[in-house]
Amino acid sequence: MKLTVNGTVHDVDASPDTPLLWVLRDHLGLTGTKYGCGEALCGACTVHVDGRAVRSCVLPVERLQGRAVTTIEGLSPDGSHPLQQAWARHAVPQCGYCQAGQIMTAAALLEEVPHPSEAQVDRSMATNICRCGTYLRIRAAILDAAGES
Amino acid sequence: MRSTAFLLPLLAAVTSCSSAPAPAPADPATVEAGHKAFAHLVEVLRHPRCLNCHPDDDRPRQGMHQAVHDPPVWRGPDDRGEPGAHCASCHQDRNATDARVPGAPGWHLAPLSMAWRGRSDAAICAQLKDKARNGGRTLDELQQHLAEDPLVGWGFSPGHGREPAPGSQAALGDTARTWIDAGAPCPPRGEPQ
């Protein structure tokens, strides 16, 4: 089947019910998106589909015909997305495992709400879990990227 | 000007009567059948499979014990979650078999005007009939919503060992039709929940 990821159309030979996450990682080699829980509970696998954040671990690839998938690798060609720059300024990651999902959720938030309040950031990011507890730096980086700090 | 102002309360009273018109009840037996139909209808509406997404606050519930949704999510500006964390970020258009995440087309919370948690049967009945609170539906459109909306239907096919709402969506539609055809009678106010 045809799958558009980061602006490139791929021919993918996968069972239609394969979760997008495994097509990204195992078929296309895009390993920036992480497996966390496999039940849409942690957010590590968050990518964008037509600009909206989705949990790729529960999204069958057959549902993506004619839709555009963006992964952390496609957020910017050179890591220059304002969130990525803010992430570096605030030294957000600790172990780093959840960070791709955190940034993709944050990017979807800023796409809809360019200047969110702290409370809005907290609500939108609440379903992305960071086991290292970098939540305060995540919030600071998002507000920084949004020009709110 | 003064005469216009005099008419405003009357106009407000008239326009506030926004309940969808119900057909006139035929006879006492029909009305009684309508009351029985509503009793069954509200039994379904009160089932956690339905009630969990008709909260009276900004937090969806889950499970038969109606716990606050975990992971933590909120209603959001359009009843479909917060920006970046929409309901559809996790809930697909059907139940996810392996991941066990429930899903149906258009997954979202009912608007606050349709909140049923903590309401009496009489209050729920009045809500159902009030176009200002039922999504602007006539009674026929309400029946169609109950009988055909796939999100309502999910309550009867919730997947992964979840207890379904009693009966079937078709039966719910039939019950709603019986209630409406009987004049959509409501229980007396003050009836215990």
Short mmCIF file of all heavy atoms in Angstrom, two decimals, chain A residues 12-52:
data_model
loop_
_atom_site.label_atom_id
_atom_site.label_comp_id
_atom_site.label_asym_id
_atom_site.label_seq_id
_atom_site.Cartn_x
_atom_site.Cartn_y
_atom_site.Cartn_z
N VAL A 12 4.54 0.21 0.87
CA VAL A 12 4.74 -0.58 2.09
C VAL A 12 4.06 -1.93 1.94
O VAL A 12 2.88 -2.01 1.57
CB VAL A 12 4.16 0.17 3.31
CG1 VAL A 12 4.24 -0.69 4.55
CG2 VAL A 12 4.89 1.48 3.53
N ASP A 13 4.81 -2.98 2.20
CA ASP A 13 4.25 -4.33 2.16
C ASP A 13 4.00 -4.78 3.60
O ASP A 13 4.87 -5.38 4.24
CB ASP A 13 5.23 -5.28 1.46
CG ASP A 13 4.66 -6.70 1.37
OD1 ASP A 13 3.44 -6.86 1.57
OD2 ASP A 13 5.44 -7.62 1.11
N ALA A 14 2.83 -4.44 4.11
CA ALA A 14 2.50 -4.76 5.50
C ALA A 14 1.05 -5.18 5.58
O ALA A 14 0.22 -4.76 4.78
CB ALA A 14 2.75 -3.55 6.40
N SER A 15 0.75 -6.01 6.56
CA SER A 15 -0.64 -6.38 6.80
C SER A 15 -1.43 -5.11 7.13
O SER A 15 -0.95 -4.25 7.86
CB SER A 15 -0.71 -7.37 7.96
OG SER A 15 -2.05 -7.62 8.31
N PRO A 16 -2.65 -5.00 6.59
CA PRO A 16 -3.41 -3.75 6.79
C PRO A 16 -3.64 -3.39 8.25
O PRO A 16 -3.80 -2.21 8.58
CB PRO A 16 -4.75 -4.04 6.09
CG PRO A 16 -4.45 -5.10 5.11
CD PRO A 16 -3.36 -5.94 5.72
N ASP A 17 -3.65 -4.38 9.13
CA ASP A 17 -3.92 -4.06 10.54
C ASP A 17 -2.65 -3.79 11.34
O ASP A 17 -2.70 -3.63 12.56
CB ASP A 17 -4.74 -5.16 11.19
CG ASP A 17 -4.04 -6.51 11.17
OD1 ASP A 17 -2.96 -6.61 10.53
OD2 ASP A 17 -4.56 -7.46 11.78
N THR A 18 -1.51 -3.73 10.65
CA THR A 18 -0.27 -3.43 11.36
C THR A 18 -0.32 -2.01 11.91
O THR A 18 -0.62 -1.06 11.18
CB THR A 18 0.94 -3.52 10.39
OG1 THR A 18 0.93 -4.79 9.75
CG2 THR A 18 2.25 -3.34 11.14
N PRO A 19 -0.02 -1.84 13.20
CA PRO A 19 0.03 -0.46 13.71
C PRO A 19 1.08 0.37 12.99
O PRO A 19 2.17 -0.12 12.67
CB PRO A 19 0.39 -0.66 15.19
CG PRO A 19 -0.09 -2.04 15.51
CD PRO A 19 0.15 -2.84 14.25
N LEU A 20 0.73 1.61 12.76
CA LEU A 20 1.64 2.52 12.05
C LEU A 20 3.03 2.53 12.67
O LEU A 20 4.04 2.59 11.95
CB LEU A 20 1.04 3.94 12.07
CG LEU A 20 1.94 5.07 11.57
CD1 LEU A 20 2.30 4.89 10.09
CD2 LEU A 20 1.27 6.43 11.80
N LEU A 21 3.10 2.45 14.00
CA LEU A 21 4.39 2.50 14.68
C LEU A 21 5.38 1.49 14.10
O LEU A 21 6.55 1.80 13.87
CB LEU A 21 4.19 2.24 16.18
CG LEU A 21 5.47 2.08 17.00
CD1 LEU A 21 6.30 3.36 17.00
CD2 LEU A 21 5.12 1.67 18.43
N TRP A 22 4.87 0.27 13.88
CA TRP A 22 5.80 -0.78 13.43
C TRP A 22 6.14 -0.63 11.97
O TRP A 22 7.22 -1.06 11.54
CB TRP A 22 5.20 -2.16 13.75
CG TRP A 22 4.96 -2.25 15.22
CD1 TRP A 22 3.78 -2.36 15.87
CD2 TRP A 22 5.97 -2.15 16.24
NE1 TRP A 22 3.96 -2.34 17.22
CE2 TRP A 22 5.30 -2.22 17.48
CE3 TRP A 22 7.35 -2.01 16.24
CZ2 TRP A 22 5.97 -2.15 18.70
CZ3 TRP A 22 8.03 -1.94 17.45
CH2 TRP A 22 7.34 -2.01 18.66
N VAL A 23 5.27 -0.05 11.19
CA VAL A 23 5.62 0.25 9.80
C VAL A 23 6.71 1.32 9.78
O VAL A 23 7.69 1.23 9.02
CB VAL A 23 4.38 0.72 9.01
CG1 VAL A 23 4.76 1.22 7.62
CG2 VAL A 23 3.37 -0.42 8.90
N LEU A 24 6.55 2.33 10.60
CA LEU A 24 7.57 3.38 10.65
C LEU A 24 8.93 2.81 11.07
O LEU A 24 9.94 3.06 10.41
CB LEU A 24 7.16 4.47 11.66
CG LEU A 24 5.92 5.29 11.30
CD1 LEU A 24 5.54 6.23 12.46
CD2 LEU A 24 6.14 6.10 10.02
N ARG A 25 8.93 2.04 12.12
CA ARG A 25 10.21 1.58 12.68
C ARG A 25 10.82 0.43 11.89
O ARG A 25 12.00 0.45 11.55
CB ARG A 25 10.01 1.15 14.15
CG ARG A 25 9.72 2.31 15.10
CD ARG A 25 9.58 1.81 16.54
NE ARG A 25 10.80 1.13 16.98
CZ ARG A 25 11.86 1.76 17.49
NH1 ARG A 25 11.84 3.07 17.63
NH2 ARG A 25 12.93 1.08 17.84
N ASP A 26 9.99 -0.58 11.58
CA ASP A 26 10.54 -1.81 11.01
C ASP A 26 10.58 -1.80 9.48
O ASP A 26 11.46 -2.42 8.88
CB ASP A 26 9.73 -3.01 11.49
CG ASP A 26 9.86 -3.24 12.99
OD1 ASP A 26 10.76 -2.61 13.59
OD2 ASP A 26 9.09 -4.03 13.55
N HIS A 27 9.64 -1.12 8.87
CA HIS A 27 9.61 -1.10 7.40
C HIS A 27 10.36 0.09 6.83
O HIS A 27 11.00 -0.03 5.79
CB HIS A 27 8.16 -1.09 6.90
CG HIS A 27 7.41 -2.35 7.18
ND1 HIS A 27 6.97 -3.22 6.19
CD2 HIS A 27 7.01 -2.91 8.35
CE1 HIS A 27 6.34 -4.24 6.74
NE2 HIS A 27 6.35 -4.08 8.04
N LEU A 28 10.23 1.22 7.47
CA LEU A 28 10.82 2.44 6.91
C LEU A 28 12.08 2.90 7.65
O LEU A 28 12.74 3.85 7.23
CB LEU A 28 9.78 3.58 6.92
CG LEU A 28 8.47 3.29 6.18
CD1 LEU A 28 7.53 4.49 6.24
CD2 LEU A 28 8.74 2.91 4.72
N GLY A 29 12.40 2.25 8.73
CA GLY A 29 13.63 2.59 9.46
C GLY A 29 13.58 3.92 10.19
O GLY A 29 14.63 4.48 10.55
N LEU A 30 12.41 4.42 10.41
CA LEU A 30 12.26 5.70 11.13
C LEU A 30 12.10 5.40 12.62
O LEU A 30 11.00 5.34 13.16
CB LEU A 30 11.06 6.48 10.57
CG LEU A 30 11.20 6.90 9.11
CD1 LEU A 30 9.87 7.44 8.58
CD2 LEU A 30 12.30 7.94 8.95
N THR A 31 13.23 5.24 13.29
CA THR A 31 13.21 4.75 14.67
C THR A 31 13.14 5.87 15.71
O THR A 31 13.26 5.60 16.91
CB THR A 31 14.44 3.88 14.94
OG1 THR A 31 15.61 4.64 14.61
CG2 THR A 31 14.40 2.61 14.11
N GLY A 32 12.96 7.09 15.25
CA GLY A 32 12.79 8.18 16.22
C GLY A 32 11.52 8.04 17.02
O GLY A 32 11.44 8.45 18.18
N THR A 33 10.50 7.46 16.43
CA THR A 33 9.23 7.24 17.13
C THR A 33 9.36 5.98 17.98
O THR A 33 9.76 4.93 17.49
CB THR A 33 8.08 7.08 16.10
OG1 THR A 33 8.07 8.21 15.24
CG2 THR A 33 6.74 6.98 16.81
N LYS A 34 9.03 6.10 19.24
CA LYS A 34 9.32 5.01 20.19
C LYS A 34 8.09 4.21 20.56
O LYS A 34 6.97 4.72 20.61
CB LYS A 34 9.93 5.59 21.48
CG LYS A 34 11.15 6.46 21.26
CD LYS A 34 12.27 5.71 20.55
CE LYS A 34 13.52 6.57 20.46
NZ LYS A 34 14.52 5.99 19.54
N TYR A 35 8.35 2.96 20.91
CA TYR A 35 7.32 2.10 21.50
C TYR A 35 7.37 2.26 23.01
O TYR A 35 8.42 2.11 23.63
CB TYR A 35 7.58 0.63 21.14
CG TYR A 35 6.71 -0.33 21.91
CD1 TYR A 35 5.39 -0.53 21.55
CD2 TYR A 35 7.22 -1.04 23.00
CE1 TYR A 35 4.58 -1.41 22.26
CE2 TYR A 35 6.42 -1.92 23.71
CZ TYR A 35 5.11 -2.10 23.35
OH TYR A 35 4.32 -2.95 24.05
N GLY A 36 6.22 2.59 23.59
CA GLY A 36 6.18 2.71 25.05
C GLY A 36 5.28 1.67 25.67
O GLY A 36 5.72 0.72 26.30
N CYS A 37 3.97 1.83 25.47
CA CYS A 37 3.02 0.94 26.14
C CYS A 37 2.24 0.07 25.16
O CYS A 37 1.73 -0.99 25.52
CB CYS A 37 2.05 1.77 26.97
SG CYS A 37 0.98 2.84 25.98
N GLY A 38 2.10 0.53 23.94
CA GLY A 38 1.32 -0.22 22.96
C GLY A 38 -0.18 -0.12 23.16
O GLY A 38 -0.95 -0.82 22.50
N GLU A 39 -0.62 0.76 24.05
CA GLU A 39 -2.06 0.89 24.34
C GLU A 39 -2.53 2.34 24.34
O GLU A 39 -3.54 2.68 24.94
CB GLU A 39 -2.37 0.25 25.70
CG GLU A 39 -2.09 -1.24 25.72
CD GLU A 39 -2.39 -1.86 27.09
OE1 GLU A 39 -2.54 -1.10 28.07
OE2 GLU A 39 -2.47 -3.09 27.16
N ALA A 40 -1.76 3.21 23.70
CA ALA A 40 -2.12 4.63 23.60
C ALA A 40 -2.20 5.32 24.95
O ALA A 40 -2.92 6.28 25.12
CB ALA A 40 -3.44 4.81 22.84
N LEU A 41 -1.43 4.82 25.90
CA LEU A 41 -1.52 5.36 27.26
C LEU A 41 -0.36 6.27 27.64
O LEU A 41 -0.47 7.04 28.60
CB LEU A 41 -1.59 4.21 28.27
CG LEU A 41 -2.82 3.31 28.18
CD1 LEU A 41 -2.65 2.09 29.08
CD2 LEU A 41 -4.07 4.07 28.56
N CYS A 42 0.77 6.20 26.90
CA CYS A 42 1.95 6.92 27.38
C CYS A 42 2.40 8.05 26.47
O CYS A 42 3.06 8.98 26.92
CB CYS A 42 3.10 5.95 27.60
SG CYS A 42 3.90 5.36 26.09
N GLY A 43 2.13 7.96 25.17
CA GLY A 43 2.46 9.05 24.26
C GLY A 43 3.81 8.96 23.59
O GLY A 43 4.14 9.83 22.77
N ALA A 44 4.61 7.95 23.90
CA ALA A 44 5.95 7.85 23.31
C ALA A 44 5.90 7.70 21.79
O ALA A 44 6.83 8.09 21.09
CB ALA A 44 6.71 6.68 23.93
N CYS A 45 4.81 7.16 21.28
CA CYS A 45 4.70 6.85 19.85
C CYS A 45 3.98 7.94 19.06
O CYS A 45 3.61 7.73 17.91
CB CYS A 45 3.97 5.53 19.66
SG CYS A 45 2.21 5.64 20.11
N THR A 46 3.81 9.11 19.65
CA THR A 46 3.00 10.15 19.01
C THR A 46 3.63 10.65 17.71
O THR A 46 4.82 10.99 17.66
CB THR A 46 2.81 11.34 19.97
OG1 THR A 46 2.22 10.86 21.19
CG2 THR A 46 1.91 12.41 19.36
N VAL A 47 2.83 10.68 16.67
CA VAL A 47 3.21 11.27 15.38
C VAL A 47 2.05 12.17 14.95
O VAL A 47 1.05 12.28 15.66
CB VAL A 47 3.49 10.19 14.31
CG1 VAL A 47 4.62 9.27 14.74
CG2 VAL A 47 2.22 9.38 14.01
N HIS A 48 2.20 12.81 13.82
CA HIS A 48 1.09 13.60 13.28
C HIS A 48 0.48 12.89 12.08
O HIS A 48 1.21 12.34 11.25
CB HIS A 48 1.57 14.98 12.81
CG HIS A 48 2.10 15.85 13.91
ND1 HIS A 48 2.64 17.10 13.68
CD2 HIS A 48 2.15 15.67 15.26
CE1 HIS A 48 3.00 17.63 14.82
NE2 HIS A 48 2.73 16.78 15.79
N VAL A 49 -0.82 12.93 11.99
CA VAL A 49 -1.54 12.52 10.79
C VAL A 49 -2.39 13.70 10.36
O VAL A 49 -3.25 14.16 11.13
CB VAL A 49 -2.42 11.27 11.05
CG1 VAL A 49 -3.27 10.96 9.82
CG2 VAL A 49 -1.54 10.07 11.39
N ASP A 50 -2.09 14.20 9.20
CA ASP A 50 -2.74 15.43 8.71
C ASP A 50 -2.66 16.54 9.75
O ASP A 50 -3.62 17.29 9.96
CB ASP A 50 -4.20 15.15 8.32
CG ASP A 50 -4.32 14.18 7.16
OD1 ASP A 50 -3.35 14.07 6.38
OD2 ASP A 50 -5.36 13.52 7.04
N GLY A 51 -1.54 16.62 10.41
CA GLY A 51 -1.29 17.70 11.35
C GLY A 51 -1.79 17.48 12.76
O GLY A 51 -1.49 18.28 13.65
N ARG A 52 -2.55 16.43 12.99
CA ARG A 52 -3.08 16.14 14.32
C ARG A 52 -2.23 15.06 15.00
O ARG A 52 -1.82 14.09 14.35
CB ARG A 52 -4.53 15.66 14.24
CG ARG A 52 -5.53 16.74 13.81
CD ARG A 52 -5.77 17.72 14.94
NE ARG A 52 -6.79 18.72 14.63
CZ ARG A 52 -8.04 18.66 15.07
NH1 ARG A 52 -8.44 17.66 15.80
NH2 ARG A 52 -8.89 19.63 14.77
#
